[in-house]
Amino acid sequence: MNASRLNARCGSPKIWLPIVLISSLCATCAQPGFAIALRGPRVHAQLAGALTTTSAPSSKSGQTQFIVRDSIGLPGLNLTCLLLGCNVLESIGDPTGQLFVVQNVGSLDPVTFLTQLLSAAGIVDAEPDQNVSTLGATVGAIPSYLTDKTPIWYYGAQVWEGYVIQTPNQIVNTTQTHSTFRVSGRGVTVAMIDTGIDPNNSILAPHLVNGYDFTRNTSGGSEMGDITQSTAGVIDGSTQTAQVNQSTAGVIDGSTQTAQVNQSTAGVIDGSTQTAQVNQSTAGVIDQGSAQVINQAKYSAFGHGTMTAGIVHLVAPRAQLMPLKAFGANGTGYASDVLRAIYYAVNHNAKVISMSFEFAGPSVELANAINYATISNVICVASAGNDGAMTIVYPSGLPNVIDVASTSNTNTPSSFSNYGTPPVWISAPGEAVMSTYPFNTYAVGWGTSFSTPFVSGTVALMANWNSGLLNQTSAAYALSHAQPIPESQYGFGVLDTYQAVQAWKSTSNPDLFDFNLDLF
């Protein structure tokens, strides 16, 4: 471990790029489709393992929206909107009660509206409610462990052996960590801000706590409401294989045939040993004996949240999972829903927030939400992104976030992974990662989306040992005890759960705090 580098990283903030709202809006107005949805230059967010798409969630599309902080609160903002011609859509849930989503419904163009809004009494800041979209890595060779269906018991649930013995899981040493330190995440809640989680998955269901669907404003956090059996490739004994979307492929009906589900995930479909890719959009096996291509962008990220949750469960199998659905099945969402999810996670006792998505532009209110989590001793973990470039994305580029790059199954940097500057904190396997998929199936994925939950699960293991002292700084320090690789731009190396928990154990004093050790 390079101590001087650790001190430098902990002692100075990452690069911050301020938002220039007016210039962003001017550039936005020149873009096609501005009347439909507000988009500034590079002000979108991305699920770090799914298909690029331009569609937006229908529940909020077609309007110009802003995230607004008003020091007077709702009464003051209502008065401002009465004067400017806007509606207050909802509160975002920050602890001060000052943050809202506002919709410009008057005759003012967005630049004039924002100028007058920022000059109104009580207005602290305002920024576009960014449309978020997805961008993924590309599926590689299908690994042999994906078709290892030997049933084994894993912490009270029957799973496929390939899920446990897969190469990425061996690289991060979870089995050794569980047995040596007798930790498995018991009593720790990990909030998953994603597309939701399949609540009927037999492996994950016993560990789900109540979450929330911010795309529909309903409790639960299921991703199954986005898709139906007749249109989503719910597999029922067919003999055809198909790609479901650009970044995922899944084990569909307990069989041995593999097929690409989307660009960054692949899996087993139905009863043969061939692999097949139909196209780069969305497809599925619909009925017995036939396959139908679902070439619709609205399913391009379906299963993403169930997969990231399954990786946290693999590392911390007794941790509780909180599904916070801020993205639709097409991988799109709004910045305001992400902010609402962060505040919800903190206020509902999550210890870890796992974020497998990226904003390509900075956001003042995103930084405020992350800071609120940090001072509440909630550890935030986020993906470094899949642009294959030396670039900063958000939230991973914020000072109080543990950012995660992707490495291969041979501990070399993934070609799609972002890296420095500054160097990301740590790397983790992000290629051919096998995880749970909706309909009690499995899939393998490529992308920093799937690297991030390995680290989130490891933080849950550390919190299992001693949650009282664990905060963002101490968690990052423990994680820096990793497997070194030559590429310094990829952080302290590849995640090693054993070294991380050992480092945390040696630097904390569990006798001073309540903690739970798992008894086997």
Side-chain angles (χ1 to χ4, degrees):
M1 180 185 64
N2 188 325
S4 62
R5 180 161 162 252
L6 176 64
N7 291 334
R9 285 295 306 274
C10 291
S12 60
K14 298 178 186 177
I15 296 173
W16 174 252
L17 301 178
I19 300 177
V20 183
L21 290 172
I22 301 298
S23 62
S24 294
L25 280 171
C26 288
T28 298
C29 291
Q31 295 187 10
F34 174 75
I36 297 178
L38 176 64
R39 292 182 177 89
R42 288 182 57 80
V43 289
H44 63 286
Q46 303 167 346
L47 282 174
L51 170 67
T52 300
T53 176
T54 58
S55 60
S58 58
S59 62
K60 294 185 181 180
S61 62
Q63 301 294 338
T64 300
Q65 295 180 183
F66 297 88
I67 298 170
V68 181
R69 181 174 292 278
D70 191 322
S71 62
I72 304 175
L74 183 58
L77 189 55
N78 278 332
L79 178 59
T80 298
C81 277
L82 182 65
L83 298 173
L84 295 183
C86 58
N87 293 329
V88 180
L89 296 183
E90 59 192 359
S91 169
I92 287 181
D94 71 306
T96 64
Q98 298 178 352
L99 198 60
F100 303 91
V101 180
V102 168
Q103 180 185 68
N104 176 18
V105 295
S107 58
L108 296 177
D109 65 86
V111 174
T112 303
F113 172 77
L114 184 58
T115 301
Q116 295 190 16
L117 179 64
L118 289 170
S119 65
I123 301 299
V124 178
D125 61 57
E127 61 183 81
D129 188 8
Q130 305 177 16
N131 281 339
V132 299
S133 58
T134 61
L135 180 67
T138 303
V139 167
I142 307 301
S144 60
Y145 47 77
L146 183 59
T147 56
D148 183 350
K149 301 186 297 177
T150 305
I152 63 172
W153 287 98
Y154 190 68
Y155 290 86
Q158 193 173 80
V159 303
W160 285 17
E161 184 177 53
Y163 173 58
V164 177
I165 69 167
Q166 62 173 296
T167 303
N169 196 36
Q170 294 184 47
I171 288 174
V172 300
N173 293 324
T174 57
T175 300
Q176 183 184 14
T177 305
H178 295 163
S179 61
T180 301
F181 301 112
R182 303 173 73 82
V183 291
S184 58
R186 185 192 295 275
V188 182
T189 298
V190 181
M192 309 296 301
I193 302 179
D194 214 297
T195 60
I197 301 174
D198 179 0
N200 301 313
N201 185 281
S202 61
I203 299 170
L204 304 181
H207 306 281
L208 296 181
V209 297
N210 194 44
Y212 200 81
D213 181 347
F214 297 95
T215 68
R216 295 182 175 87
N217 287 323
T218 59
S219 62
S222 170
E223 70 174 324
M224 304 310 289
D226 289 338
I227 200 162
T228 64
Q229 188 167 6
S230 63
T231 59
V234 179
I235 311 308
D236 97 11
S238 165
T239 58
Q240 303 277 341
T241 63
Q243 176 174 333
V244 174
N245 60 40
Q246 196 182 23
S247 66
T248 311
V251 179
I252 302 299
D253 198 30
S255 67
T256 56
Q257 181 166 353
T258 60
Q260 180 163 334
V261 179
N262 58 38
Q263 193 188 27
S264 66
T265 317
V268 175
I269 301 292
D270 185 59
S272 110
T273 55
Q274 280 190 313
T275 62
Q277 175 176 338
V278 176
N279 60 36
Q280 291 188 336
S281 183
T282 306
V285 179
I286 302 301
D287 26 76
Q288 296 182 5
S290 66
Q292 298 181 13
V293 174
I294 306 175
N295 192 16
Q296 301 179 62
K298 65 181 180 179
Y299 301 129
S300 59
F302 178 70
H304 190 275
T306 300
M307 289 190 69
T308 56
I311 299 167
V312 170
H313 177 72
L314 181 64
V315 178
R318 288 197 175 114
Q320 296 176 311
L321 302 168
M322 180 186 291
L324 300 179
K325 180 176 173 58
F327 295 87
N330 63 349
T332 66
Y334 279 85
S336 56
D337 286 338
V338 172
L339 300 183
R340 293 168 67 202
I342 294 172
Y343 287 118
Y344 184 100
V346 176
N347 296 332
H348 288 79
N349 302 314
K351 184 62 179 180
V352 187
I353 300 178
S354 188
M355 298 177 285
S356 289
F357 57 86
E358 65 177 55
F359 286 72
S363 162
V364 170
E365 290 301 339
L366 177 63
N368 288 339
I370 294 295
N371 289 339
Y372 174 68
T374 302
I375 64 175
S376 302
N377 284 336
V378 178
I379 294 91
C380 297
V381 184
S383 54
N386 298 334
D387 305 302
M390 182 184 292
T391 188
I392 298 174
V393 297
Y394 302 92
S396 67
L398 295 171
N400 293 322
V401 176
I402 298 170
D403 44 346
V404 187
S406 173
T407 47
S408 71
N409 285 349
T410 57
N411 283 3
T412 57
S414 298
S415 60
F416 54 77
S417 179
N418 289 349
Y419 51 94
T421 59
V424 296
W425 192 258
I426 196 168
S427 303
E431 299 184 24
V433 179
M434 183 174 176
S435 188
T436 51
Y437 195 75
F439 314 112
N440 283 310
T441 65
Y442 294 87
V444 289
W446 281 255
T448 55
S449 273
F450 309 112
S451 306
T452 299
F454 277 112
V455 176
S456 302
T458 305
V459 176
L461 295 181
M462 292 190 286
N464 183 176
W465 174 261
N466 179 352
S467 181
L469 287 176
L470 190 65
N471 56 28
Q472 194 76 19
T473 301
S474 57
Y477 172 77
L479 289 166
S480 70
H481 296 72
Q483 305 170 55
I485 58 176
E487 293 80 8
S488 61
Q489 297 283 4
Y490 289 79
F492 286 97
V494 177
L495 172 70
D496 188 321
T497 63
Y498 182 91
Q499 289 191 57
V501 174
Q502 184 179 53
W504 174 233
K505 179 177 179 292
S506 65
T507 56
S508 62
N509 186 353
D511 294 331
L512 299 178
F513 296 90
D514 291 331
F515 63 100
N516 295 312
L517 293 183
D518 292 316
L519 300 178
F520 290 82

